[in-house]
Amino acid sequence: MDDKRRLILDQALALVDERGLAAMSMRAVAERVGLTSMALYPYVGGKDALLDGLVDLLGLELGDDVGGERPEDWRHRLRALGRAVRALAKRHPGAFPLLLNRPAAGASASWLTAALRGILHDAGVPEVHVPRLARMILAFLLGYATGEVTGATTVATDSDDEFEADLADLVRLVEVAVRVA
């Protein structure tokens, strides 16, 4: 990624973190980086392209969070991936829902989908069942994290324990998928 584009996207993400997605405009981002609004266009396109760039940036950050961890046991990797998705949502609660509602999220989620597919493959899930199971797990992780940071779901008093219990359920789901195959 071009250095200037990365600076602009970093500043746009910082703006969303500080003031929310509604406060993000081309003008506000331009002010943060010391440019005019029009000077942003060669680097990030219009506002829609800027939002898609934020999705890409979130995907890169998630990849960095999980990329260094490669425990042999697929169970540990699945739990680590789930924790990383949740941590990303907590770091960027205003931007995280973009992973669910931007058309570019499909392409940017390819790293996450590939990571899940690798985990499921290592668990021994038959290839024919991997896409469906990956979609279910991805829907849970993104939905849980989004609901938690937007207040759309009621969070238990000890949501960390509840989330860990849900991750254990995901592990059991994968184990069942392997046994019945």
Side-chain angles (χ1 to χ4, degrees), residues 140-162:
F140 168 76
L141 293 175
L142 293 176
Y144 186 103
T146 300
E148 192 172 40
V149 299
T150 62
T153 57
T154 305
V155 179
T157 53
D158 195 349
S159 61
D160 289 340
D161 287 344
E162 184 174 311

PDB file of all heavy atoms in Angstrom, residues 140-162:
ATOM      1  N   PHE A 140     -20.986 -15.988  13.095  1.00  0.00           N
ATOM      2  CA  PHE A 140     -21.018 -15.869  14.552  1.00  0.00           C
ATOM      3  C   PHE A 140     -20.003 -14.834  15.037  1.00  0.00           C
ATOM      4  O   PHE A 140     -20.343 -13.945  15.816  1.00  0.00           O
ATOM      5  CB  PHE A 140     -20.744 -17.213  15.241  1.00  0.00           C
ATOM      6  CG  PHE A 140     -20.482 -17.022  16.707  1.00  0.00           C
ATOM      7  CD1 PHE A 140     -21.521 -16.774  17.590  1.00  0.00           C
ATOM      8  CD2 PHE A 140     -19.188 -17.030  17.196  1.00  0.00           C
ATOM      9  CE1 PHE A 140     -21.275 -16.540  18.934  1.00  0.00           C
ATOM     10  CE2 PHE A 140     -18.932 -16.806  18.541  1.00  0.00           C
ATOM     11  CZ  PHE A 140     -19.983 -16.555  19.412  1.00  0.00           C
ATOM     12  N   LEU A 141     -18.752 -14.956  14.594  1.00  0.00           N
ATOM     13  CA  LEU A 141     -17.701 -14.060  15.096  1.00  0.00           C
ATOM     14  C   LEU A 141     -17.992 -12.600  14.767  1.00  0.00           C
ATOM     15  O   LEU A 141     -17.909 -11.725  15.634  1.00  0.00           O
ATOM     16  CB  LEU A 141     -16.333 -14.470  14.542  1.00  0.00           C
ATOM     17  CG  LEU A 141     -15.792 -15.818  15.016  1.00  0.00           C
ATOM     18  CD1 LEU A 141     -14.483 -16.137  14.296  1.00  0.00           C
ATOM     19  CD2 LEU A 141     -15.602 -15.836  16.524  1.00  0.00           C
ATOM     20  N   LEU A 142     -18.322 -12.331  13.515  1.00  0.00           N
ATOM     21  CA  LEU A 142     -18.598 -10.947  13.117  1.00  0.00           C
ATOM     22  C   LEU A 142     -19.874 -10.429  13.774  1.00  0.00           C
ATOM     23  O   LEU A 142     -19.927  -9.289  14.232  1.00  0.00           O
ATOM     24  CB  LEU A 142     -18.690 -10.833  11.597  1.00  0.00           C
ATOM     25  CG  LEU A 142     -17.396 -11.082  10.825  1.00  0.00           C
ATOM     26  CD1 LEU A 142     -17.658 -11.025   9.322  1.00  0.00           C
ATOM     27  CD2 LEU A 142     -16.308 -10.118  11.221  1.00  0.00           C
ATOM     28  N   GLY A 143     -20.889 -11.283  13.842  1.00  0.00           N
ATOM     29  CA  GLY A 143     -22.142 -10.870  14.457  1.00  0.00           C
ATOM     30  C   GLY A 143     -22.014 -10.619  15.949  1.00  0.00           C
ATOM     31  O   GLY A 143     -22.530  -9.624  16.473  1.00  0.00           O
ATOM     32  N   TYR A 144     -21.322 -11.512  16.643  1.00  0.00           N
ATOM     33  CA  TYR A 144     -21.137 -11.352  18.088  1.00  0.00           C
ATOM     34  C   TYR A 144     -20.391 -10.058  18.382  1.00  0.00           C
ATOM     35  O   TYR A 144     -20.825  -9.254  19.206  1.00  0.00           O
ATOM     36  CB  TYR A 144     -20.360 -12.545  18.654  1.00  0.00           C
ATOM     37  CG  TYR A 144     -20.255 -12.544  20.165  1.00  0.00           C
ATOM     38  CD1 TYR A 144     -21.058 -13.376  20.922  1.00  0.00           C
ATOM     39  CD2 TYR A 144     -19.355 -11.724  20.833  1.00  0.00           C
ATOM     40  CE1 TYR A 144     -20.970 -13.396  22.317  1.00  0.00           C
ATOM     41  CE2 TYR A 144     -19.264 -11.717  22.218  1.00  0.00           C
ATOM     42  CZ  TYR A 144     -20.070 -12.563  22.952  1.00  0.00           C
ATOM     43  OH  TYR A 144     -19.986 -12.554  24.323  1.00  0.00           O
ATOM     44  N   ALA A 145     -19.272  -9.873  17.699  1.00  0.00           N
ATOM     45  CA  ALA A 145     -18.436  -8.699  17.952  1.00  0.00           C
ATOM     46  C   ALA A 145     -19.169  -7.410  17.599  1.00  0.00           C
ATOM     47  O   ALA A 145     -19.107  -6.429  18.344  1.00  0.00           O
ATOM     48  CB  ALA A 145     -17.124  -8.814  17.179  1.00  0.00           C
ATOM     49  N   THR A 146     -19.881  -7.408  16.494  1.00  0.00           N
ATOM     50  CA  THR A 146     -20.625  -6.214  16.099  1.00  0.00           C
ATOM     51  C   THR A 146     -21.731  -5.914  17.101  1.00  0.00           C
ATOM     52  O   THR A 146     -21.910  -4.772  17.520  1.00  0.00           O
ATOM     53  CB  THR A 146     -21.212  -6.368  14.683  1.00  0.00           C
ATOM     54  OG1 THR A 146     -20.136  -6.574  13.767  1.00  0.00           O
ATOM     55  CG2 THR A 146     -21.999  -5.129  14.269  1.00  0.00           C
ATOM     56  N   GLY A 147     -22.468  -6.925  17.485  1.00  0.00           N
ATOM     57  CA  GLY A 147     -23.527  -6.735  18.470  1.00  0.00           C
ATOM     58  C   GLY A 147     -22.998  -6.215  19.783  1.00  0.00           C
ATOM     59  O   GLY A 147     -23.606  -5.354  20.430  1.00  0.00           O
ATOM     60  N   GLU A 148     -21.851  -6.706  20.169  1.00  0.00           N
ATOM     61  CA  GLU A 148     -21.250  -6.291  21.431  1.00  0.00           C
ATOM     62  C   GLU A 148     -20.836  -4.817  21.399  1.00  0.00           C
ATOM     63  O   GLU A 148     -21.119  -4.068  22.331  1.00  0.00           O
ATOM     64  CB  GLU A 148     -20.045  -7.178  21.734  1.00  0.00           C
ATOM     65  CG  GLU A 148     -19.508  -7.061  23.125  1.00  0.00           C
ATOM     66  CD  GLU A 148     -18.437  -8.095  23.435  1.00  0.00           C
ATOM     67  OE1 GLU A 148     -17.586  -8.368  22.559  1.00  0.00           O
ATOM     68  OE2 GLU A 148     -18.462  -8.612  24.550  1.00  0.00           O
ATOM     69  N   VAL A 149     -20.192  -4.380  20.326  1.00  0.00           N
ATOM     70  CA  VAL A 149     -19.684  -3.003  20.294  1.00  0.00           C
ATOM     71  C   VAL A 149     -20.743  -1.976  19.930  1.00  0.00           C
ATOM     72  O   VAL A 149     -20.587  -0.800  20.244  1.00  0.00           O
ATOM     73  CB  VAL A 149     -18.437  -2.834  19.377  1.00  0.00           C
ATOM     74  CG1 VAL A 149     -17.306  -3.702  19.867  1.00  0.00           C
ATOM     75  CG2 VAL A 149     -18.771  -3.088  17.921  1.00  0.00           C
ATOM     76  N   THR A 150     -21.817  -2.408  19.280  1.00  0.00           N
ATOM     77  CA  THR A 150     -22.872  -1.462  18.924  1.00  0.00           C
ATOM     78  C   THR A 150     -23.987  -1.437  19.955  1.00  0.00           C
ATOM     79  O   THR A 150     -24.872  -0.587  19.880  1.00  0.00           O
ATOM     80  CB  THR A 150     -23.495  -1.799  17.549  1.00  0.00           C
ATOM     81  OG1 THR A 150     -24.102  -3.092  17.622  1.00  0.00           O
ATOM     82  CG2 THR A 150     -22.475  -1.728  16.440  1.00  0.00           C
ATOM     83  N   GLY A 151     -23.955  -2.363  20.900  1.00  0.00           N
ATOM     84  CA  GLY A 151     -25.010  -2.442  21.897  1.00  0.00           C
ATOM     85  C   GLY A 151     -26.265  -3.109  21.365  1.00  0.00           C
ATOM     86  O   GLY A 151     -27.313  -3.061  22.004  1.00  0.00           O
ATOM     87  N   ALA A 152     -26.180  -3.735  20.201  1.00  0.00           N
ATOM     88  CA  ALA A 152     -27.346  -4.377  19.595  1.00  0.00           C
ATOM     89  C   ALA A 152     -27.746  -5.658  20.326  1.00  0.00           C
ATOM     90  O   ALA A 152     -28.869  -6.117  20.187  1.00  0.00           O
ATOM     91  CB  ALA A 152     -27.086  -4.682  18.126  1.00  0.00           C
ATOM     92  N   THR A 153     -26.824  -6.227  21.070  1.00  0.00           N
ATOM     93  CA  THR A 153     -27.152  -7.428  21.841  1.00  0.00           C
ATOM     94  C   THR A 153     -26.902  -7.145  23.311  1.00  0.00           C
ATOM     95  O   THR A 153     -26.048  -6.343  23.666  1.00  0.00           O
ATOM     96  CB  THR A 153     -26.283  -8.629  21.410  1.00  0.00           C
ATOM     97  OG1 THR A 153     -24.907  -8.285  21.563  1.00  0.00           O
ATOM     98  CG2 THR A 153     -26.547  -9.023  19.984  1.00  0.00           C
ATOM     99  N   THR A 154     -27.652  -7.821  24.116  1.00  0.00           N
ATOM    100  CA  THR A 154     -27.457  -7.703  25.557  1.00  0.00           C
ATOM    101  C   THR A 154     -26.250  -8.539  25.926  1.00  0.00           C
ATOM    102  O   THR A 154     -26.171  -9.712  25.594  1.00  0.00           O
ATOM    103  CB  THR A 154     -28.693  -8.220  26.314  1.00  0.00           C
ATOM    104  OG1 THR A 154     -29.830  -7.519  25.831  1.00  0.00           O
ATOM    105  CG2 THR A 154     -28.548  -8.003  27.799  1.00  0.00           C
ATOM    106  N   VAL A 155     -25.305  -7.907  26.605  1.00  0.00           N
ATOM    107  CA  VAL A 155     -24.078  -8.594  26.979  1.00  0.00           C
ATOM    108  C   VAL A 155     -24.186  -9.005  28.443  1.00  0.00           C
ATOM    109  O   VAL A 155     -24.583  -8.218  29.294  1.00  0.00           O
ATOM    110  CB  VAL A 155     -22.856  -7.678  26.758  1.00  0.00           C
ATOM    111  CG1 VAL A 155     -21.573  -8.373  27.160  1.00  0.00           C
ATOM    112  CG2 VAL A 155     -22.789  -7.245  25.307  1.00  0.00           C
ATOM    113  N   ALA A 156     -23.833 -10.260  28.712  1.00  0.00           N
ATOM    114  CA  ALA A 156     -23.868 -10.762  30.082  1.00  0.00           C
ATOM    115  C   ALA A 156     -22.874  -9.983  30.945  1.00  0.00           C
ATOM    116  O   ALA A 156     -21.959  -9.336  30.437  1.00  0.00           O
ATOM    117  CB  ALA A 156     -23.512 -12.249  30.094  1.00  0.00           C
ATOM    118  N   THR A 157     -23.043 -10.079  32.254  1.00  0.00           N
ATOM    119  CA  THR A 157     -22.165  -9.340  33.158  1.00  0.00           C
ATOM    120  C   THR A 157     -20.717  -9.753  33.001  1.00  0.00           C
ATOM    121  O   THR A 157     -19.830  -8.948  33.175  1.00  0.00           O
ATOM    122  CB  THR A 157     -22.604  -9.538  34.625  1.00  0.00           C
ATOM    123  OG1 THR A 157     -22.684 -10.945  34.884  1.00  0.00           O
ATOM    124  CG2 THR A 157     -23.938  -8.879  34.880  1.00  0.00           C
ATOM    125  N   ASP A 158     -20.472 -10.999  32.686  1.00  0.00           N
ATOM    126  CA  ASP A 158     -19.093 -11.437  32.452  1.00  0.00           C
ATOM    127  C   ASP A 158     -18.986 -11.936  31.023  1.00  0.00           C
ATOM    128  O   ASP A 158     -18.959 -13.128  30.763  1.00  0.00           O
ATOM    129  CB  ASP A 158     -18.669 -12.512  33.446  1.00  0.00           C
ATOM    130  CG  ASP A 158     -17.162 -12.715  33.448  1.00  0.00           C
ATOM    131  OD1 ASP A 158     -16.484 -12.172  32.539  1.00  0.00           O
ATOM    132  OD2 ASP A 158     -16.658 -13.407  34.333  1.00  0.00           O
ATOM    133  N   SER A 159     -18.975 -10.990  30.089  1.00  0.00           N
ATOM    134  CA  SER A 159     -19.002 -11.350  28.681  1.00  0.00           C
ATOM    135  C   SER A 159     -17.745 -12.091  28.238  1.00  0.00           C
ATOM    136  O   SER A 159     -17.797 -12.842  27.269  1.00  0.00           O
ATOM    137  CB  SER A 159     -19.232 -10.114  27.814  1.00  0.00           C
ATOM    138  OG  SER A 159     -18.187  -9.187  27.988  1.00  0.00           O
ATOM    139  N   ASP A 160     -16.610 -11.905  28.927  1.00  0.00           N
ATOM    140  CA  ASP A 160     -15.410 -12.652  28.559  1.00  0.00           C
ATOM    141  C   ASP A 160     -15.630 -14.148  28.757  1.00  0.00           C
ATOM    142  O   ASP A 160     -15.292 -14.951  27.883  1.00  0.00           O
ATOM    143  CB  ASP A 160     -14.197 -12.194  29.370  1.00  0.00           C
ATOM    144  CG  ASP A 160     -13.723 -10.798  28.975  1.00  0.00           C
ATOM    145  OD1 ASP A 160     -14.068 -10.343  27.863  1.00  0.00           O
ATOM    146  OD2 ASP A 160     -13.017 -10.181  29.779  1.00  0.00           O
ATOM    147  N   ASP A 161     -16.196 -14.514  29.910  1.00  0.00           N
ATOM    148  CA  ASP A 161     -16.477 -15.932  30.164  1.00  0.00           C
ATOM    149  C   ASP A 161     -17.498 -16.476  29.174  1.00  0.00           C
ATOM    150  O   ASP A 161     -17.373 -17.594  28.686  1.00  0.00           O
ATOM    151  CB  ASP A 161     -16.977 -16.145  31.599  1.00  0.00           C
ATOM    152  CG  ASP A 161     -15.872 -15.992  32.633  1.00  0.00           C
ATOM    153  OD1 ASP A 161     -14.673 -16.019  32.258  1.00  0.00           O
ATOM    154  OD2 ASP A 161     -16.205 -15.842  33.824  1.00  0.00           O
ATOM    155  N   GLU A 162     -18.506 -15.667  28.882  1.00  0.00           N
ATOM    156  CA  GLU A 162     -19.530 -16.100  27.933  1.00  0.00           C
ATOM    157  C   GLU A 162     -18.922 -16.298  26.541  1.00  0.00           C
ATOM    158  O   GLU A 162     -19.225 -17.278  25.853  1.00  0.00           O
ATOM    159  CB  GLU A 162     -20.658 -15.071  27.872  1.00  0.00           C
ATOM    160  CG  GLU A 162     -21.801 -15.503  26.980  1.00  0.00           C
ATOM    161  CD  GLU A 162     -22.968 -14.547  27.033  1.00  0.00           C
ATOM    162  OE1 GLU A 162     -23.407 -14.187  28.133  1.00  0.00           O
ATOM    163  OE2 GLU A 162     -23.437 -14.164  25.939  1.00  0.00           O
TER     164      GLU A 162
END
